[in-house]
Amino acid sequence: MKFIIKLFPEIMVKGTSVKKKMVSQLHDNLRTQLLRLDDSIELKRFWDKIEVFAPEDKRIPVLKVLTQTPGVEQVLEVSQSEADTLDEVAKRVADFALSKIEGKTFVVRVKRSGTHDFSSFDMERYIGGYLLEHGDAKGVDLHQPDYKVELEYQQNQVNVIAARHRGLGGFPLGTQGEILSLMSGGFDSTVASYLTIKRGIKTHFIFFNLGGAAHEIGVKQVALYLWGQYGSSHRVQFVSIPFEGVVEEIFRSSHEGYMGVMLKRLMLQASEKIADQMGIDALVTGESVAQVSSQTLRNLALIDKATDKLVLRPLAVMDKPNIMRIADEIGTRHFAESMPEYCGVISKNPVIHGSFKRMEKEQVRFDYAVLDQAVSEAVFLPVHEIIADVNAQANVEIVNQVGDETVIDIRRPEEIAARPLSLEGVVNIPFFELKQKFKGLDQSKSYLLYCEKGVMSQLHAQYLKDNGFDKVKVYRPASS
């Protein structure tokens, strides 16, 4: 089967050399991902589009890749054939369309390119008449038809459009440089990271561990999800920095009202050091003006003074409902809602209009050797190795066989429906409902949590153990 990739409009208005570079990058990005699905998939690159030829049985996974790759505006699913004359074109279109317009009104729309002795309008009239003569359509309706017969005709190639699918838009990943995203795993940082990926920026992740294995596993999971869904054409890093000592030093040295601002400044300073090591020029955060006390304009200005790096804030003027709407669309809302939280620095009376002079005094009292030590202990992990890393650490015991335990499948309902477990007595509780529903289960029994990769199972098993539920393990079938 064939797909035609239409490019993001902003690509098409670039200069010739820039456009050529972007189309080439998009072609390479798609090729990298599609060949993982099936090495028989073929791609053809043109100046204004990319064509993909794939086996019928790979339709759904191929569509997923095409619609979630930055740089793609629209994906056309087409039926391709060849025809040299108007009559031959009409016959090819009829083979596809007659069954679809039966009993309906229709209209024919043609986009033609190449050298022919007829126009697009001539084609629309001829094909429309042919379909009326040879089918059982109700009639032609130019304004509000029940069905639109669309085709592109280039030289002698006929592409009848079977379906249109909306793409992600944005620029091809890798064309706009690299950035380091400060990730907490909540709504804001995940949406901000998605937006930079969509804009074509290779996005690495940095996480500040304020205490607790569950939180780090949760942030790794959402980083893996974002990369797998929207950025897997490129290898990126997940950097974890132990920040418990930094928090202790903040409590020792900082005035209570400035603790939140001080923490954000130190996170930027640590990120700057890591970005320098990686050759990265910019940072991204999920901060939004006035969302919390540290995010007033004055406090954001105080925070930015801590680094010479460019700090991007894609959510700066977004409200929370809009951010949550995007999280819904991209599939990160449930991750954010179930993310274990750790509040290391809480000010009872946080300053909302901090003083630059006071901030200078606060930073002098802080022992920056503590920050340097934390940065020196940073752990770099390629995102594509997160699954192996989480399972290797196995903070919660992993079992490969089911005995007397009850298996709880914590995947999303659509994932369970697509690939159900072939076991008896499986209980289906999506991970985002587990916290509420697990306490209602028989606590005298033992439970095995299951998800496809094992990362979410580790996270939520650890979370349940932290909350006093001891009879929980992770189920990983021997074949996975």
Side-chain angles (χ1 to χ4, degrees):
M1 65 186 313
K2 179 180 176 180
F3 303 91
I4 297 177
I5 311 305
K6 298 295 186 179
L7 309 177
F8 181 53
E10 285 187 47
I11 297 174
M12 301 306 296
V13 300
K14 299 294 183 184
T16 302
S17 62
V18 174
K19 179 167 60 179
K20 183 178 180 180
K21 179 182 176 182
M22 288 190 173
V23 175
S24 177
Q25 182 70 69
L26 178 57
H27 172 270
D28 292 346
N29 293 351
L30 289 172
R31 187 175 185 276
T32 297
Q33 297 174 86
L34 291 173
L35 292 187
R36 291 177 192 153
L37 298 175
D38 191 319
D39 58 12
S40 70
I41 294 175
E42 297 180 13
L43 294 88
K44 291 183 179 180
R45 183 178 68 209
F46 300 87
W47 71 272
D48 62 341
K49 65 180 178 180
I50 295 172
E51 296 183 348
V52 175
F53 301 85
E56 290 282 348
D57 63 349
K58 292 295 190 292
R59 175 182 177 272
I60 292 177
V62 166
L63 265 178
K64 182 176 182 292
V65 169
L66 299 181
T67 56
Q68 293 180 174
T69 296
V72 176
E73 179 69 11
Q74 194 175 85
V75 180
L76 307 184
E77 201 170 345
V78 303
S79 173
Q80 179 181 300
S81 58
E82 292 187 358
D84 295 311
T85 66
L86 264 180
D87 190 61
E88 289 177 348
V89 173
K91 288 177 181 177
R92 302 294 180 272
V93 175
D95 291 340
F96 173 86
L98 286 181
S99 62
K100 294 176 172 54
I101 63 174
E102 186 174 346
K104 300 176 182 177
T105 59
F106 73 96
V107 67
V108 178
R109 292 289 182 248
V110 176
K111 182 178 179 181
R112 182 191 62 84
S113 60
T115 304
H116 307 96
D117 57 2
F118 46 80
S119 66
S120 298
F121 181 65
D122 294 333
M123 294 184 69
E124 290 173 353
R125 291 181 60 188
Y126 189 93
I127 295 169
Y130 188 96
L131 294 177
L132 277 176
E133 180 181 350
H134 292 83
D136 295 315
K138 187 185 294 185
V140 172
D141 187 334
L142 299 179
H143 304 292
Q144 292 183 314
D146 297 324
Y147 188 87
K148 185 186 292 186
V149 180
E150 298 180 273
L151 65 139
E152 295 186 357
Y153 186 56
Q154 183 176 19
Q155 288 303 113
N156 69 334
Q157 188 179 96
V158 182
N159 290 305
V160 185
I161 299 172
R164 291 180 180 268
H165 305 276
R166 180 184 175 187
L168 192 63
F171 290 124
L173 196 63
T175 61
Q176 307 304 315
E178 302 183 29
I179 203 164
L180 187 59
S181 174
L182 281 68
M183 279 282 287
S184 68
F187 287 102
D188 303 337
S189 61
T190 52
V191 171
S193 299
Y194 159 76
L195 291 174
T196 54
I197 294 171
K198 178 181 177 180
R199 197 61 180 171
I201 306 173
K202 184 177 175 181
T203 302
H204 303 270
F205 307 98
I206 185 167
F207 167 66
F208 297 94
N209 196 332
L210 303 180
H215 191 188
E216 179 164 341
I217 294 172
V219 179
K220 283 179 175 176
Q221 168 66 24
V222 76
L224 177 65
Y225 174 84
L226 283 171
W227 174 79
Q229 293 291 108
Y230 308 108
S232 65
S233 58
H234 288 67
R235 300 304 193 195
V236 300
Q237 294 286 329
F238 182 94
V239 185
S240 178
I241 297 184
F243 237 50
E244 300 98 321
V246 174
V247 170
E248 291 176 9
E249 177 61 15
I250 290 175
F251 274 112
R252 185 200 67 78
S253 64
S254 300
H255 182 277
E256 184 182 79
Y258 279 82
M259 285 182 176
V261 173
M262 190 66 184
L263 177 63
K264 294 292 184 66
R265 284 172 59 93
L266 292 167
M267 286 180 172
L268 283 189
Q269 289 173 325
S271 299
E272 179 180 45
K273 294 174 184 292
I274 297 297
D276 283 341
Q277 293 178 31
M278 299 175 69
I280 293 174
D281 297 323
L283 310 173
V284 62
T285 78
E287 291 161 317
S288 175
V289 173
Q291 191 174 113
V292 295
S293 60
S294 65
Q295 295 175 21
T296 62
L297 285 179
R298 168 57 66 86
N299 286 350
L300 289 174
L302 286 175
I303 292 168
D304 274 4
K305 277 282 188 177
T307 179
D308 292 327
K309 293 288 184 186
L310 170 65
V311 180
L312 299 185
R313 294 185 172 92
L315 313 186
V317 293
M318 286 190 189
D319 54 44
K320 198 68 173 186
N322 194 26
I323 295 169
M324 294 175 72
R325 177 187 59 78
I326 297 175
D328 267 333
E329 292 175 356
I330 65 176
T332 60
R333 177 168 185 158
H334 292 317
F335 292 115
E337 289 176 334
S338 61
M339 190 67 60
E341 294 182 0
Y342 182 85
C343 299
V345 178
I346 302 176
S347 300
K348 293 180 181 178
N349 298 295
V351 64
I352 60 174
H353 193 75
S355 162
F356 286 98
K357 289 185 177 180
R358 178 59 183 270
M359 195 71 248
E360 290 176 4
K361 294 179 181 178
E362 293 295 325
Q363 68 179 12
V364 168
R365 289 200 294 265
F366 185 86
D367 181 1
Y368 280 89
V370 176
L371 183 67
D372 293 338
Q373 180 63 30
V375 172
S376 72
E377 296 174 3
V379 176
F380 291 75
L381 176 68
V383 170
H384 66 278
E385 295 180 8
I386 282 177
I387 295 170
D389 174 75
V390 171
N391 287 319
Q393 292 187 29
N395 295 309
V396 177
E397 183 181 350
I398 298 174
V399 300
N400 305 122
Q401 301 291 333
V402 180
D404 297 331
E405 304 94 345
T406 297
V407 176
I408 301 177
D409 192 335
I410 67 170
R411 294 176 296 167
R412 299 169 186 263
E414 59 270 24
E415 293 176 306
I416 294 174
R419 295 177 298 278
L421 273 177
S422 56
L423 292 172
E424 293 185 5
V426 176
V427 177
N428 296 330
I429 304 178
F431 68 87
F432 48 86
E433 296 179 1
L434 190 62
K435 182 164 51 172
Q436 291 78 22
K437 292 187 175 180
F438 188 83
K439 62 185 68 175
L441 300 178
D442 184 351
Q443 298 305 314
S444 66
K445 295 183 177 180
S446 296
Y447 296 93
L448 304 178
L449 303 191
Y450 171 80
C451 68
E452 195 160 346
K453 303 298 184 182
V455 180
M456 287 300 288
S457 300
Q458 276 286 339
L459 164 63
H460 288 280
Q462 181 66 54
Y463 181 84
L464 291 171
K465 281 183 170 292
D466 290 346
N467 283 270
F469 300 102
D470 296 323
K471 297 184 176 181
V472 182
K473 299 177 183 178
V474 170
Y475 173 54
R476 288 279 289 166
S479 58
S480 2

